[in-house]
């Protein structure tokens, strides 16, 4: 606030009155700076001389505020506002300053150290123990969870392995069954055709047909084909027999003549 009053002078015209106001404000700022320095020194060493100097500086600051207020209308608006706020804060400061001297001038100034030793230190120690216990609990919990997950993973791997093995066995059985389902009729057809082609040419053989799928159609077509060949052979054999009979008759008549 004192600096604000000093800066406000930069916007005013220069005169003896303004110079006096500037000097008073600058001194007030200087005195207040000494007050803050005196408080730091007293808190550090708690010397009676520092307390007396602090009182003198406060008295001088109060006197300077009265002097500045006496300038009245010569003060700028910012300076009037600042000096009013300064006065209000000064009253609060003196109350707190007196309480500070009371505390640090007696045995109570050691209350903070006593609180640290008797209250804060045990509290911090208890917190540290609880934190250690919490860390231990969390570590055990994490270990248990990890073990559970590991066990679950092992069980899952075992189950997947079992399912894979079962799938392989089922696949092998299905492949064998399908192979037999398809291969057996084909092999039967092949054997029958081989018997007909390489054997005695028994055209009376037929392949049993118990299915209605493509293999059944193939078997039916094969049986139909063999039946037609058998019929052709029969007709050919009959025609050949008739020809032979005619030749025999012709030969007999020729011999008679």
């Amino acid at each position: 606030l004192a600096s604000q009053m000093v800066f406000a002078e930069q916007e005013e015209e220069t005169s003896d009155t303004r110079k006096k106001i500037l000097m008073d404000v600058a001194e007030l700022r200087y005195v207040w700076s000494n007050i803050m320095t005196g408080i730091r020194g007293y808190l550090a060493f708690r010397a009676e001389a520092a307390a007396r100097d602090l009182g003198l500086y406060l008295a001088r600051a109060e006197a300077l505020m009265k002097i500045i207020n006496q300038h009245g209308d010569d003060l700028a608006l910012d300076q009037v506002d600042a000096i009013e706020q300064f006065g209000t804060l000064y009253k609060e400061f003196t109350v707190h300053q007196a309480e500070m001297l009371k505390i640090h001038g007696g045995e109570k100034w050691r209350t903070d150290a006593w609180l640290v030793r008797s209250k804060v230190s045990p509290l911090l120690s208890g917190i540290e123990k609880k934190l250690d216990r919490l860390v231990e609990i969390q570590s055990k919990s994490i270990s248990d969870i990890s073990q559970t997950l590991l066990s679950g993973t092992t069980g899952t791997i075992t189950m997947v392995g079992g399912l894979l093995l079962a799938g392989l066995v089922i696949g092998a059985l299905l492949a064998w069954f399908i192979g037999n389902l398809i291969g057996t009729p084909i092999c039967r057809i092949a054997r029958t055709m081989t018997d007909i082609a390489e054997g005695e040419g028994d055209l009376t053989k037929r392949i049993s047909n118990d299915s209605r799928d493509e293999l059944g159609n193939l078997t039916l077509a094969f049986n139909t084909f063999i039946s037609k060949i058998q019929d052709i052979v029969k007709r050919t054999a009959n025609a050949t027999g008739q020809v032979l009979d005619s030749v025999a008759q012709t030969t007999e008549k020729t011999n008679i003549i």
Side-chain angles (χ1 to χ4, degrees), residues 26-37:
E27 185 181 358
L28 177 61
R29 185 170 63 174
Y30 171 74
V31 169
W32 197 258
S33 176
N34 287 333
I35 290 173
M36 300 308 297
T37 302

Side-chain angles (χ1 to χ4, degrees), residues 100-159:
M100 179 200 69
L101 292 176
K102 181 179 178 182
I103 292 174
H104 286 270
E107 292 297 327
K108 287 187 177 181
W109 72 273
R110 297 182 179 178
T111 302
D112 52 353
W114 175 81
L115 288 174
V116 170
R117 289 194 305 269
S118 62
K119 300 295 184 180
V120 177
S121 294
L123 182 61
L124 292 176
S125 179
I127 292 174
E128 184 177 3
K129 291 180 180 179
K130 290 182 179 179
L131 287 176
D132 291 339
R133 177 59 179 166
L134 180 61
V135 170
E136 182 182 352
I137 293 173
Q138 290 298 322
S139 299
K140 186 176 182 302
S141 177
I142 292 173
S143 178
D144 293 341
I145 292 174
S146 300
Q147 188 64 33
T148 302
L149 291 176
L150 183 60
S151 300
T153 303
T154 303
T156 302
I157 293 174
T158 303
M159 181 179 67

